[in-house]
Amino acid sequence: MSRTATPAEALDRTSEAGDRTSPTASSARSSVGATASSARTSAAASRRRSRRPLPATPHGIFASLHLRNYRLYFFGMLLSNIGLWMFRVAQDWLVLTQLTQHSSLALGTITGLQFLPVLLLSAYGGAIADRFDQRKLLMVTQAAAGLVALVQAVLVLTGTVQLWHVYLLAALGGVVASFDNPARQAFVSELVPESYLVNAVGLNATTFNMSRLLGPGLAGLMIGVAGVGPAILVNAISYAATLAALVLMDPVDLHGAPKTRGRGSVRAGMAYVAHRPDVLLVMFMVFMLGTFGLNFQVTNALMATQVFRVGPEQYGLMGTVMGVGTLGAALMAASRKQPRMVVLVAALGGFTVGMIGLTVAPSYLVYVLLLILVGLTSLTVMTSANATVQLSVDPAMRGRVMALYMMVFMGGTPIGAPLIGWVGAQFGARATLGVGAAATGLATVAALWVLLRARRGEHAREGAPGAADRGTMAA
């Protein structure tokens, strides 16, 4: 009985088929290939000589935008993320007001289904990212994500959408994200030199949060004027921006890492992380934040509809105002030379304080203002954690490590989102924010305890053989 090949096997068989050709044909192709390769190398060198020399270290917040490939990626992702934020607001409003009677459990279930595949498949997605051309892989995943979004837009616009459709499409989108996220995270390091990576990670967060400023507000206005269908359709169309950016990039200017081959690459990535206590600590903090703290897709919707009883415009404004804080954090991250663990822990503590304030906020205005603090601190945690992990790991392992990072950060959502939805149904909207405050507060205390222990033993570790290879928890 025949078996459908996995994407990895299919690509391997294509490579093997080329190796089985005759020696004469192979020799001829080698000669032609060498000539073509020489011509490409010469053309690439000529292009590089004609460009303005890049400083060895980044100067200014927008330093990475001097690189053409990164510039294309930045603006492509900005347009695509605006569509994504419009979709998130539109889908939440669709589920709460049209497909259910303000069901927090349904909203939490959808969020959980979006991230369950990330938990189950991200490790394999990271192995694929380390094995194949990440730019081409992203073309496939972005096209697939656009197709899923287009199907949902058609269902909504034709009036045939049902709740189970949204469940199914959320799960399919999660499958695509399992392969897209590791490749996208690791691809940033191919777009810029290593000395620019912290700046590029910060600017990457800037695209996400500039779109967070624009997307929810635009979605609220569009829903109020034309309904949820057009807002969801904009998301489907926006994937064309990322695809165009990927196609227009010059592959010669990418800083590709060595590609892995053979079996066991997923296990190798897990073993590598298991021997890095610094990476494990970062992953613990982002797990607690992502699983219990960053459920604003559920909590904001519940506070808007159940506590403050506002319309779609005011609900969309919540995301926009939160984007003010996250954008500020992204710009600050882009200006840093190196990530610092003390900044990460302090930001997690600040997030806890903001969540406590949201839990007891007496009015819509106070709640919205506190979202600026929550946005600022949450994004500072994310950018510091991302840059810390990317800079501290072996480039050949980066795809697998970032896959595990994203699996920990986003994979807890299938646990957290339904739990938060259930808490909202049983104890009210404010209790959902209280759970996030308690969880991130515990994570802050635990991280501080680990860092204090690490500082006490700092001199002993410096004198131990191979201390540098085990990673550090530098403040």
Side-chain angles (χ1 to χ4, degrees):
M1 185 174 182
S2 63
R3 179 175 65 86
T4 303
T6 66
E9 292 169 339
L11 286 171
D12 278 348
R13 289 173 189 172
T14 303
S15 175
E16 291 166 5
D19 292 340
R20 289 196 292 266
T21 54
S22 67
T24 303
S26 177
S27 175
R29 274 198 307 275
S30 296
S31 176
V32 173
T35 303
S37 176
S38 176
R40 285 195 299 270
T41 303
S42 176
S46 177
R47 286 198 303 274
R48 287 195 181 102
R49 283 194 298 270
S50 66
R51 294 171 186 158
R52 183 182 300 176
L54 189 69
T57 56
H59 297 289
I61 293 176
F62 302 103
S64 295
L65 290 177
H66 291 294
L67 295 128
R68 178 179 178 274
N69 280 349
Y70 185 81
R71 191 163 59 246
L72 286 168
Y73 185 76
F74 179 92
F75 288 108
M77 289 300 297
L78 175 61
L79 293 174
S80 182
N81 281 328
I82 289 173
L84 179 61
W85 277 106
M86 292 182 69
F87 166 76
R88 287 180 174 178
V89 171
Q91 179 176 260
D92 292 350
W93 204 254
L94 172 73
V95 171
L96 285 174
T97 64
Q98 297 182 27
L99 300 181
T100 70
Q101 294 296 317
H102 301 282
S103 173
S104 60
L105 184 58
L107 201 61
T109 300
I110 290 168
T111 305
L113 287 171
Q114 287 174 329
F115 293 106
L116 180 60
V118 174
L119 177 63
L120 300 177
L121 300 174
S122 281
Y124 184 65
I128 294 292
D130 277 339
R131 189 169 184 174
F132 300 113
D133 186 313
Q134 290 169 0
R135 174 172 159 267
K136 293 178 180 177
L137 179 59
L138 283 171
M139 290 180 187
V140 174
T141 57
Q142 288 290 297
L147 181 60
V148 172
L150 182 61
V151 170
Q152 184 157 344
V154 170
L155 288 171
V156 175
L157 288 168
T158 57
T160 57
V161 67
Q162 297 179 38
L163 186 59
W164 72 268
H165 293 148
V166 182
Y167 285 161
L168 177 61
L169 291 169
L172 289 175
V175 172
V176 175
S178 302
F179 295 89
D180 181 81
N181 285 333
R184 189 154 37 83
Q185 294 292 324
F187 187 56
V188 176
S189 63
E190 292 197 7
L191 292 168
V192 298
E194 185 171 316
S195 59
Y196 280 66
L197 185 57
V198 175
N199 177 258
V201 169
L203 288 177
N204 230 34
T206 301
T207 67
F208 190 74
N209 293 289
M210 285 174 67
S211 63
R212 193 176 204 164
L213 272 173
L214 299 171
L218 289 173
L221 291 173
M222 188 171 285
I223 292 168
V225 173
V228 296
I232 293 175
L233 180 61
V234 168
N235 177 51
I237 296 170
S238 71
Y239 283 98
T242 309
L243 285 169
L246 292 167
V247 169
L248 291 172
M249 286 179 188
D250 187 348
V252 174
D253 288 336
L254 296 176
H255 304 264
K259 301 301 177 186
T260 60
R261 287 289 183 269
R263 301 189 177 199
S265 57
V266 173
R267 290 192 299 274
M270 292 180 175
Y272 179 83
V273 170
H275 289 85
R276 292 291 304 271
D278 55 331
V279 175
L280 288 172
L281 177 61
V282 173
M283 288 187 174
F284 167 71
M285 287 189 281
V286 297
F287 170 78
M288 297 298 279
L289 176 70
T291 302
F292 302 106
L294 297 181
N295 286 293
F296 293 103
Q297 187 174 351
V298 177
T299 55
N300 278 352
L302 293 177
M303 292 294 285
T305 56
Q306 295 182 10
V307 177
F308 302 124
R309 302 190 182 281
V310 295
E313 294 86 358
Q314 289 82 8
Y315 170 50
L317 184 63
M318 286 181 174
T320 298
V321 171
M322 191 172 180
V324 173
T326 53
L327 178 59
L331 292 173
M332 286 190 290
S335 66
R336 293 190 195 105
K337 301 299 181 185
Q338 292 290 332
R340 300 180 64 202
M341 186 69 74
V342 68
V343 172
L344 197 164
V345 177
L348 190 62
F351 178 84
T352 301
V353 172
M355 289 292 284
I356 293 171
L358 291 178
T359 304
V360 299
S363 68
Y364 174 80
L365 178 60
V366 173
Y367 185 90
V368 167
L369 291 175
L370 284 169
L371 285 174
I372 298 175
L373 171 63
V374 170
L376 177 75
T377 52
S378 64
L379 201 279
T380 301
V381 173
M382 288 186 277
T383 53
S384 298
N386 189 303
T388 297
V389 173
Q390 291 221 44
L391 281 172
S392 65
V393 301
D394 184 341
M397 287 282 185
R398 190 170 281 140
R400 281 163 287 177
V401 173
M402 292 311 296
L404 293 172
Y405 172 88
M406 295 305 295
M407 183 174 72
V408 167
F409 180 44
M410 302 171 67
T413 305
I415 303 168
L419 175 62
I420 293 295
W422 177 82
V423 168
Q426 296 298 315
F427 305 103
R430 292 186 185 275
T432 63
L433 295 161
V435 170
T440 54
L442 287 172
T444 303
V445 172
L448 282 172
W449 180 75
V450 171
L451 287 179
L452 288 173
R453 285 194 63 190
R455 282 200 167 186
R456 289 194 197 105
E458 188 175 16
H459 296 298
R461 284 200 311 276
E462 286 176 355
D469 294 333
R470 291 195 297 270
T472 62
M473 297 179 188

